[in-house]
Amino acid sequence: MWPCFFIFTLAAAVGIHFWWRQKFRRQQRQALADIEGFQRRQQQTTIDARAQQQVLFNSMLEGLLLLDRNRKIYLANRAFKNLFSIKTDLHGKTIMEALRLHELAGLVESVETKGQVFDYEFKLPDMNERWLQVNAAVITNSAGEREGTILVFHDLTRLKQLERTREEFVANVSHELRTPLSLIKGYVETLLDGASGNPEVAGRFLKIIERNTQRLDLLIQDLLTISALEAGRMKLNLQPVVLRPLVEKIFSDLKPPADNKSITLVNQLPELTATADASRLEQVFANLVDNAIKYGRAQGRVIIGGKKRDDGKIEIFAQDDGPGIPAESLGRIFERFYRVDKARSREQGGTGLGLSIVKHIVQAHGGEVWVKSEPGKGATFFFTLPKESKE
């Protein structure tokens, strides 16, 4: 009996052992599965968190760059990539690998030393002359150890362009004012020193003074006009305007300077009626014809023509047969005070604002203005006006 009981007990023990072993293995496999599931969830949480960060950062207008403790890119938002025209993934690259900018790499080193850098400006080495402003700071953990660096980029290009335009404008206005003022001052001092006693000399000096005061008045009027146009303060009195007689009036007013160069003024405008402000349109024609006379060749022709386009708009041109405009100047010809040949332009007189006024008046009417020219073949200025009124 005892041998049978022993055998039965031993068999039961072996069975229990294998049962517990299988159960342990199942529990072990379940535990491993739970761990792997937890790790996957943690990884997914990290991925989701990074994706959420990326979405948030991509909504920013400023360029954002996050570097890890090894100075490798952890995150770069869409605005940053657009600033540097980058299409590829930057994650894990250094700044030198991604951008090849030694100045920016040096800035990162400076930030790690100083802790932060504000309002740092640098120019991108490309042909478009782009300027960026960078604010950067070190990211630290609770123990004060450096975890990485954050850099925020702001595009300063437009501000730099506006600042340069302002500086050029002030310089040009100062020059245009200084020249006639200096002449007036000089001749007035000469008259006060005794020249007023000589009627012939005094008369000649007074005519020079009068001419330069008129030049100052013209400059001030042009400055006020373009200021009002650019600010949108000028009100247009839109009425049906017959164009051909308006051009004839301008030709009559500008006949003396045209005769001085033996230039023939040709009115090729057909019978067209535009919806426009007659007085402002007169300024447009006067500036274009005056410009064509100044820069057209002696014994040449200045032609005003036009047509009604298929879209109903009226297209007008002013053509001269002068030296033309270089290709590099065509894009700037309508800028305030821009001169293709500064020395020659100032000899011809004028304020340097005529073509800019033309552009703004035409645009105020809802039209467009452009120029076509080849060196040695003259220049043709075009502009459009709204559809002619229906009566």
Side-chain angles (χ1 to χ4, degrees), residues 187 190-191 195 198-212:
Y187 283 109
T190 304
L191 288 171
N198 186 329
E200 182 181 349
V201 172
R204 182 162 55 87
F205 282 9
L206 288 172
K207 286 182 179 178
I208 294 172
I209 291 171
E210 180 187 31
R211 187 166 64 249
N212 280 278

Side-chain angles (χ1 to χ4, degrees), residues 349-369:
T351 64
L353 294 170
L355 291 179
S356 185
I357 289 174
V358 167
K359 179 188 74 171
H360 284 89
I361 290 177
V362 170
Q363 289 178 343
H365 281 81
E368 300 174 282
V369 61

Side-chain angles (χ1 to χ4, degrees), residues 95-349:
I95 285 181
M96 286 303 298
E97 291 171 342
L99 304 175
R100 302 294 179 188
L101 291 176
H102 292 278
E103 186 174 1
L104 193 53
L107 175 63
V108 172
E109 294 180 8
S110 177
V111 172
E112 292 177 0
T113 302
K114 299 178 181 178
Q116 58 186 17
V117 171
F118 294 119
D119 300 333
Y120 181 86
E121 296 180 8
F122 73 100
K123 179 182 174 184
L124 292 180
D126 56 26
M127 298 300 292
N128 297 324
E129 193 173 341
R130 291 191 299 149
W131 286 85
L132 299 179
Q133 181 190 74
V134 187
N135 293 304
V138 168
I139 302 171
T140 58
N141 57 24
S142 58
E145 299 170 334
R146 182 175 64 84
E147 289 290 333
T149 307
I150 182 171
L151 299 96
V152 180
F153 296 78
H154 181 68
D155 194 346
L156 292 179
T157 305
R158 181 59 180 159
L159 289 175
K160 290 287 185 180
Q161 291 171 344
L162 290 173
E163 178 64 19
R164 184 168 62 248
T165 299
R166 185 192 66 80
E167 290 174 353
E168 290 176 357
F169 178 76
V170 171
N172 282 316
V173 170
S174 300
H175 184 279
E176 296 296 338
L177 289 172
R178 187 184 299 114
T179 301
L181 281 174
S182 297
L183 289 170
I184 292 170
K185 182 174 182 292
Y187 283 109
V188 167
E189 288 175 348
T190 304
L191 288 171
L192 291 174
D193 286 343
S196 59
N198 186 329
E200 182 181 349
V201 172
R204 182 162 55 87
F205 282 9
L206 288 172
K207 286 182 179 178
I208 294 172
I209 291 171
E210 180 187 31
R211 187 166 64 249
N212 280 278
T213 55
Q214 290 174 345
R215 181 178 173 184
L216 281 173
D217 181 65
L218 181 61
L219 174 61
I220 292 169
Q221 291 301 321
D222 280 354
L223 286 170
L224 291 173
T225 298
I226 200 166
S227 175
L229 285 166
E230 290 182 342
R233 296 194 307 269
M234 184 166 289
K235 303 295 183 181
L236 297 179
N237 180 24
L238 299 177
Q239 299 288 337
V241 179
V242 182
L243 299 179
R244 187 177 175 85
L246 190 62
V247 172
E248 287 297 334
K249 179 180 183 301
I250 299 301
F251 279 1
S252 176
D253 293 342
L254 295 176
K255 190 174 185 300
D259 288 344
N260 289 338
K261 294 180 67 175
S262 299
I263 289 176
T264 303
L265 303 177
V266 182
N267 188 354
Q268 292 183 353
L269 266 179
E271 295 299 327
L272 295 171
T273 302
T275 301
D277 184 317
S279 61
R280 296 304 170 191
L281 197 54
E282 189 174 324
Q283 279 184 281
V284 170
F285 282 118
N287 278 310
L288 289 176
V289 174
D290 181 58
N291 189 72
I293 292 171
K294 286 177 181 176
Y295 300 106
R297 66 179 177 85
Q299 300 178 349
R301 295 202 310 168
V302 171
I303 302 172
I304 300 293
K307 64 180 180 180
K308 181 180 178 181
R309 301 194 317 196
D310 293 339
D311 60 5
K313 290 186 178 181
I314 294 173
E315 181 178 297
I316 301 167
F317 69 83
Q319 184 182 71
D320 66 62
D321 49 9
I325 303 169
E328 63 271 15
S329 296
L330 290 175
R332 300 191 61 191
I333 199 69
F334 293 101
E335 291 181 13
R336 294 174 297 180
F337 295 112
Y338 182 76
R339 302 174 188 268
V340 176
D341 184 341
K342 292 182 174 59
R344 185 167 180 265
S345 296
R346 290 196 168 108
E347 286 176 7
Q348 298 289 347

